[in-house]
Amino acid sequence: ETGVTQTPRHLVMGMTNKKSLKCEQHLGHNAMYWYKQSAKKPLELMFVYNFKEQTENNSVPSRFSPECPNSSHLFLHLHTLQPEDSALYLCASSQGWTGGYNEQFFGPGTRLTVL
Amino acid sequence: AQKITQTQPGMFVQEKEAVTLDCTYDTSDQSYGLFWYKQPSSGEMIFLIYQGSYDEQNATEGRYSLNFQKARKSANLVISASQLGDSAMYFCAMREGQEYGNKLVFGAGTILRVKS
């Protein structure tokens, strides 16, 4: 595997379900990101982890719970979601969080549908 | 105010022609970076080109070039010799000063369709 991978690619869940999204980066990067992409809205940054420590939480509802066990893996745990949470969830990674040019590499995303 | 504005919701271009996708930005920082990403229908965001605020030359990457006009706060993407595979959504993004870390703010995007 190369780059940034995400599983599952598609997920349909009911509002009472609990599910998790997984992201893995094979680039040796230290920073990882979760973005939400809703229809007709710009990409929204949700969370950032740098060296496994959360550095950004962009006022995300608590029904989204991130976890970063190491610099290569990032999870997004989902519970009691709402239909408006249906979106494409993108994971990204970069070499660092600070210090100049840090291109973000994105995964293919998980298309989430909440019924 | 919007940090990144992409005024063209959709654009058409004839294959082999050049096309310019507009992007204007708003920041009071002196140090910032501007990025362009391509998102095909598969969903993955693909990095295209980067321009730093202190870079004197316009950035170029193959068929992609960035027309950076600092005084106008614009960073338009120029795609030369369009190909059918260029059909996708294109996003302009900005990273502001160091105190914001590597946080990117994205525009709403422009859908580009290349006609054969």
Side-chain angles (χ1 to χ4, degrees):
Chain A
E1 292 278 14
T2 58
V4 182
T5 58
Q6 290 186 243
T7 55
R9 294 294 309 277
H10 300 272
L11 178 62
V12 179
M13 60 187 287
M15 289 191 286
T16 58
N17 292 158
K18 289 184 180 182
K19 296 286 184 183
S20 296
L21 309 184
K22 179 183 175 183
C23 174
E24 183 173 0
Q25 59 94 1
H26 310 268
L27 301 167
H29 288 167
N30 299 307
M32 297 188 76
Y33 311 73
W34 278 119
Y35 287 89
K36 175 183 179 183
Q37 187 177 24
S38 306
K40 300 181 181 179
K41 290 180 72 175
L43 225 66
E44 300 171 82
L45 179 66
M46 299 176 72
F47 301 103
V48 181
Y49 279 80
N50 189 37
F51 289 98
K52 303 188 298 178
E53 298 296 321
Q54 189 179 118
T55 56
E56 287 280 318
N57 178 338
N58 209 24
S59 303
V60 180
S62 59
R63 57 186 183 270
F64 294 92
S65 173
E67 179 191 0
C68 188
N70 54 62
S71 291
S72 298
H73 294 86
L74 186 64
F75 295 89
L76 189 63
H77 304 298
L78 316 171
H79 63 98
T80 58
L81 294 191
Q82 305 298 312
E84 61 265 29
D85 297 321
S86 298
L88 180 68
Y89 289 85
L90 289 161
C91 174
S93 71
S94 67
Q95 182 61 47
W97 172 240
T98 58
Y101 173 66
N102 268 305
E103 175 193 339
Q104 292 184 25
F105 292 79
F106 284 80
T110 295
R111 175 72 62 186
L112 174 67
T113 303
V114 181
L115 301 176
Chain B
Q2 295 273 2
K3 292 279 188 180
I4 295 285
T5 301
Q6 296 180 253
T7 56
Q8 307 151 314
M11 291 280 286
F12 283 95
V13 64
Q14 195 66 40
E15 195 178 7
K16 299 180 184 177
E17 291 185 350
V19 62
T20 298
L21 306 183
D22 295 341
C23 173
T24 57
Y25 58 92
D26 181 28
T27 182
S28 56
D29 285 345
Q30 296 301 308
S31 176
Y32 52 89
L34 297 155
F35 299 77
W36 276 92
Y37 282 86
K38 171 185 177 181
Q39 187 179 39
S41 56
S42 58
E44 184 175 353
M45 299 280 280
I46 302 166
F47 166 75
L48 296 177
I49 197 166
Y50 168 80
Q51 180 86 40
S53 59
Y54 292 120
D55 294 341
E56 294 184 354
Q57 303 275 359
N58 284 344
T60 59
E61 288 286 348
R63 293 187 300 111
Y64 303 108
S65 61
L66 202 151
N67 183 0
F68 182 46
Q69 298 188 42
K70 197 169 181 177
R72 293 186 175 185
K73 293 188 175 178
S74 75
N76 298 339
L77 177 70
V78 180
I79 305 175
S80 63
S82 297
Q83 301 172 355
L84 295 177
D86 293 334
S87 293
M89 188 76 148
Y90 288 80
F91 292 96
C92 180
M94 177 174 63
R95 184 190 63 233
E96 291 187 285
Q98 288 299 308
E99 65 269 30
Y100 298 103
N102 201 29
K103 184 175 181 177
L104 290 181
V105 176
F106 285 82
T110 296
I111 299 175
L112 177 67
R113 290 286 178 255
V114 181
K115 300 183 290 183
S116 59

